[in-house]
Amino acid sequence: METTKILIGYAVYLPVALFLTFYVSKTLFKNSKVYMLDIFKGREEIANATNKLFETGFYLLNIGFALLIMKITIYSNSYQDLVEALSSKIGGFSIYLGIMLFINLYFFFRGKRKSKEGQQINVPLTTNAH
């Protein structure tokens, strides 16, 4: 494939992959603050710090993966093959982002459940002594 088409492919793929990563991250971590506050029993500082660490890890994993799979390999010199390669690459990355989103949600729900279990253990039992 000629260099111009490869560069066009990269010029399309990179902004789309970055946009998808930032969009999913902003949506996920804006809404996950509620879970973090619940998990950390309203302690806003630690909830925000933990949420930010999750967000940083999310960016590192997803941008790193997007760059790792960036190579576009097609063997003909047609725009049709370029578009098909890009749709496959971007579609695969979108599926990967969706999986990462659900993995993060699993961790948030798991943390919430563990937090609730901890609260139930610490609740003192009252007895009616007559």
Side-chain angles (χ1 to χ4, degrees), residues 8-10 12-13 72 81-92:
I8 290 170
Y10 294 152
V12 170
Y13 171 75
I72 297 172
D81 287 341
L82 176 60
V83 169
E84 290 171 358
L86 281 171
S87 67
S88 177
K89 188 79 62 179
I90 292 169

Side-chain angles (χ1 to χ4, degrees), residues 23-117:
Y23 175 76
V24 170
S25 177
K26 288 301 172 198
T27 302
L28 176 64
F29 292 103
K30 180 181 79 170
N31 294 307
S32 68
K33 287 180 184 179
V34 174
Y35 293 102
M36 289 296 184
L37 284 170
D38 188 40
I39 291 167
F40 291 107
K41 299 169 184 64
R43 296 186 343 233
E44 193 167 342
E45 189 173 308
I46 194 164
N48 287 335
T50 304
N51 199 44
K52 199 63 170 167
L53 289 171
F54 265 100
E55 184 178 12
T56 301
F58 187 84
Y59 279 129
L60 289 171
L61 283 171
N62 294 309
I63 291 172
F65 186 71
L67 293 172
L68 184 69
I69 67 166
M70 187 171 79
K71 184 177 180 180
I72 297 172
T73 305
I74 60 174
Y75 298 103
S76 76
N77 196 19
S78 73
Y79 283 107
Q80 177 184 352
D81 287 341
L82 176 60
V83 169
E84 290 171 358
L86 281 171
S87 67
S88 177
K89 188 79 62 179
I90 292 169
F93 185 68
S94 295
I95 291 168
Y96 165 79
L97 275 176
I99 291 169
M100 292 302 292
L101 172 76
F102 285 116
I103 288 171
N104 275 281
L105 285 174
Y106 167 77
F107 284 125
F108 294 143
F109 286 127
R110 182 173 175 220
K112 185 176 167 110
R113 188 184 78 234
K114 291 288 187 186
S115 174
K116 294 292 181 202
E117 287 174 4

Side-chain angles (χ1 to χ4, degrees), residues 125-130:
L125 297 175
T126 58
T127 59
N128 291 340
H130 292 273

